Amino acid sequence: MTYFLPENDPVLTAARGLALVHPDKVEVNAAPLFLRARAPHPDRRVALVSGGGSGHEPLHTGLLGRGGLDAVCPGEVFASPHNRQIYEAGVAAAKSEGVLLVVKNYTGDVINFQIAAERLRHDGIPVATVLVDDDLATDAADSATGRRGTAATVVVEKLLGAAADRGASLAELQELGTRVVARSRSIAVAARAQTSPTTSAPAFTLDTGVLDYGVGIHGERGTRTIARPPVDDLVRRMTDDLLDALPPGPDEVLALVNGLGATTDLELHAISVLLTEGLAERGLRPVVTVAGTYTSALDMSGFSLTLTRLDEGWVDLWQAPAETPLVLPRPMSADSAATAGDSAPERPATAASAAAPALATGSRVVLDRYADIVAQVRDNLTKLDQLVGDGDFGDNLSGGVRRAVKLADESGADGVAALAEAFLNDVGGTSGPLFGLLFKDLAAAGTGTEQAPSIEALAEATAGAQAAIHRVGGARVGDCTIVDALAPAAESLAAAAGAEPGSESAEAPLTTAAQAAIRGALSTASLRPRRGRASYVGDHALGVPDPGALAVALLFVALADIHEPTMATRLPAPGYVTVL
């Protein structure tokens, strides 16, 4: 990617922008650069000053204001601020009992903050320091620099900000900050490096299917590269590593799931559930769970986990009011959150029968074959959909099939009826419910049984599904949709139902229908889409077959494989579903 930053003074310009958006909270001193809280709490006796390289936003500037920091000194991207910035910020912000400096443990930061502290002391201003060193990845006995300071800085600054508003002394704040650091550990992983502002290329490259484990917030490589596991296994591994390193103490913890810049809230919130469930399994109680991007590494694709063992009163400090650009959540207890998250009403037992055929015990053969085919082509369906739509089709289809398999496992339901139930009731998007209509009609025709269905009934069901899909979405042949595969199959089955005995269509009606569906699906590559998301991209869709039409063709392939295995050898393998 390319950053949209001005060439001259990007950090100063960004600081001015923060003050522009939050004029009641932030003011900017341009030379040297630091930002100061406009309305600190009147009961403060000590000013809190922090800072570090830019590129970690919303740290530290997002915590500037009442309930947070009094001044922030931003350096250039990934570079420590100059000691003059810190010194003059300390002079400007100092309260009656002095200044507390919050420093992340990086050599440049430590040196410049210590020099600033010496200058403040020389001026007669009391000063103390809290050094944040929470990064587990750099916890090595032979290291002279020690652990890096990362996302636990958010916890430290929030708790200190609340305590400072209550009038805590310099010594009390330093002791509190030191204890919070000692009880905190973090670990981070990345699937893609941040983009270099200089080259507009990734700072380092990773092969597909691997992660860097133990990355730093300045884009430092991880301590090792690992094969990318499923996310629940990854979170379990990270949690185990954190708990092995976390000092012993109370079972109540604060859990922070932090994005490194390019990780979505959708992912972070899902990870937070995996983390809290894993902690509970290990006998810990995550009293506070927070998920979001708080300490970024520009646009690195990854996340970090931070655990802090809580002491008495720390939850109250976390939940104390704050008036800062970054609004930190004040979550319910873990017990209350779990109750709220699971409070959706159960579906009435009669709901399924209103939308899909009754789930009588029946054969799984068609469902299992279709599930196997979909698993083979899911990634290619996704790639095709990325070319013409929003890229979710492969996952949407395979997710629906997995729900159907689970439903059939639990209830012993007929496989095609389970597909109807799953897609009608649980699969969203445009295609999900439309496939549900198709499965509903096919289930009624007996396609899920071990015996070959009546061709007359199957022809009627396929034509009925085509009509229903047209009524719902308006699609016709030539619109570049699932109808372009469904209609040829319906016509082929109708012809087979009326064919003379001994003719090819009568002897292998399902194979012939599958061939017709495949031809119809592949023909969509030459069509300019008129419906669905593909219609939004116009001529860019030309040359790309419709993934939904291919999925319909694959369903008829599954039917032919089960009921006409000898004749179905004429059909191409699912490999024809590819990116052309």
Side-chain angles (χ1 to χ4, degrees):
M1 65 163 283
T2 300
Y3 295 109
F4 295 100
L5 289 170
E7 293 184 6
N8 296 321
D9 296 323
V11 175
L12 172 59
T13 305
R16 292 173 57 201
L18 184 69
L20 182 67
V21 175
H22 300 280
D24 57 328
K25 297 181 179 70
V26 178
E27 64 180 18
V28 178
N29 187 88
L33 175 61
F34 62 85
L35 297 87
R36 190 164 62 155
R38 283 190 178 275
H41 197 287
D43 293 340
R44 284 202 173 191
R45 295 190 285 163
V46 177
L48 301 179
V49 177
S50 190
S54 296
H56 305 309
E57 292 73 25
L59 190 80
H60 301 267
T61 52
L63 288 161
L64 186 65
R66 187 170 296 199
L69 301 169
D70 292 279
V72 170
C73 308
E76 296 302 317
V77 173
F78 292 171
S80 68
H82 192 275
N83 76 84
R84 182 189 168 204
Q85 293 175 256
I86 304 160
Y87 163 68
E88 295 207 16
V91 171
K95 306 298 181 186
S96 60
E97 294 190 17
V99 176
L100 179 71
L101 303 178
V102 180
V103 189
K104 299 192 301 302
N105 189 27
Y106 293 94
T107 302
D109 293 57
V110 170
I111 289 173
N112 280 285
F113 272 89
Q114 292 290 22
I115 292 174
E118 293 297 326
R119 296 178 69 175
L120 290 168
R121 290 190 188 97
H122 187 269
D123 288 353
I125 297 174
V127 61
T129 298
V130 169
L131 185 68
V132 183
D133 60 348
D134 57 305
D135 182 25
L136 174 61
T138 47
D139 194 353
D142 59 351
S143 170
T145 54
R147 295 184 298 267
R148 295 176 295 210
T150 60
T153 310
V154 176
V155 182
V156 173
E157 291 178 351
K158 177 63 179 74
L159 300 189
L160 287 177
D165 282 358
R166 296 179 181 183
S169 69
L170 181 60
E172 290 170 335
L173 289 171
Q174 184 184 37
E175 191 270 339
L176 171 62
T178 301
R179 283 197 294 130
V180 174
V181 171
R183 290 169 175 258
S184 301
R185 293 292 184 273
S186 302
I187 188 71
V189 297
R192 179 180 57 78
Q194 80 282 359
T195 307
S196 166
T198 303
T199 66
S200 295
F204 58 86
T205 57
L206 288 172
D207 293 335
T208 302
V210 301
L211 297 172
D212 247 23
Y213 194 90
V215 295
I217 60 173
H218 298 96
E220 305 98 322
R221 290 296 304 266
T223 51
R224 56 193 180 277
T225 300
I226 64 171
R228 184 170 186 167
V231 67
D232 49 348
D233 291 343
L234 176 62
V235 171
R236 188 178 300 110
R237 174 177 180 169
M238 296 170 72
T239 304
D240 286 342
D241 287 348
L242 287 171
L243 293 179
D244 286 345
L246 203 63
D251 291 336
E252 295 184 340
V253 296
L254 181 151
L256 174 65
V257 179
N258 171 65
L260 295 179
T263 310
T264 64
D265 283 349
L266 179 72
E267 296 164 284
L268 298 175
H269 287 132
I271 291 167
S272 71
V273 173
L274 300 177
L275 174 59
T276 55
E277 290 177 347
L279 290 171
E281 291 171 0
R282 292 159 175 79
L284 296 173
R285 193 160 79 91
V287 179
V288 177
T289 302
V290 185
T293 298
Y294 302 114
T295 305
S296 63
L298 289 174
D299 65 339
M300 180 179 280
S301 179
F303 67 94
S304 64
L305 301 181
T306 298
L307 295 180
T308 300
R309 285 198 188 273
L310 293 169
D311 206 345
E312 184 178 355
W314 289 7
V315 173
D316 291 338
L317 292 175
W318 178 269
Q319 296 183 335
E323 298 176 16
T324 60
L326 173 62
V327 179
L328 286 168
R330 299 170 62 189
M332 299 180 289
S333 69
D335 294 340
S336 299
T339 301
D342 296 335
S343 62
E346 293 185 4
R347 181 186 298 164
T350 58
S353 61
L359 297 180
T361 300
S363 171
R364 285 275 302 273
V365 290
V366 173
L367 170 59
D368 289 342
R369 180 60 185 135
Y370 190 54
D372 179 61
I373 292 173
V374 168
Q376 293 179 52
V377 301
R378 182 196 67 176
D379 291 346
N380 280 343
L381 288 173
T382 293
K383 291 174 183 177
L384 289 170
D385 196 38
Q386 288 171 338
L387 295 174
V388 297
D390 53 6
D392 67 347
F393 182 76
D395 286 339
N396 217 25
L397 180 68
S398 62
V401 172
R402 286 196 302 271
R403 288 186 179 93
V405 169
K406 183 173 185 291
L407 182 60
D409 286 342
E410 294 173 348
S411 66
D414 171 275
V416 180
L419 283 166
E421 164 76 356
F423 276 78
L424 277 172
N425 290 334
D426 294 317
V427 181
T430 302
S431 60
L434 296 179
F435 271 86
L437 293 175
L438 172 58
F439 295 137
K440 179 175 180 290
D441 282 332
L442 293 181
T447 54
T449 63
E450 292 183 2
Q451 289 75 35
S454 160
I455 297 305
E456 291 78 11
L458 185 56
E460 183 179 347
T462 307
Q466 179 187 341
I469 290 169
H470 172 70
R471 288 194 298 271
V472 170
R476 301 176 183 274
V477 173
D479 285 347
C480 195
T481 69
I482 62 176
V483 169
D484 288 288
L486 186 57
E491 292 171 2
S492 177
L493 289 168
E500 291 292 331
S503 64
E504 181 177 357
S505 59
E507 291 298 316
L510 294 174
T511 300
T512 304
Q515 290 171 329
I518 291 170
R519 289 193 297 270
L522 295 178
S523 73
T524 59
S526 64
L527 299 175
R528 192 178 191 278
R530 300 199 313 131
R531 293 189 182 275
R533 284 210 172 105
S535 65
Y536 304 151
V537 302
D539 289 344
H540 290 293
L542 291 174
V544 182
D546 180 69
L550 291 169
V552 169
L554 292 171
L555 174 62
F556 285 95
V557 169
L559 287 169
D561 282 348
I562 295 300
H563 297 300
E564 298 171 359
T566 303
M567 302 300 292
T569 57
R570 303 178 183 180
L571 297 173
Y576 66 83
V577 178
T578 187
V579 180
L580 302 183

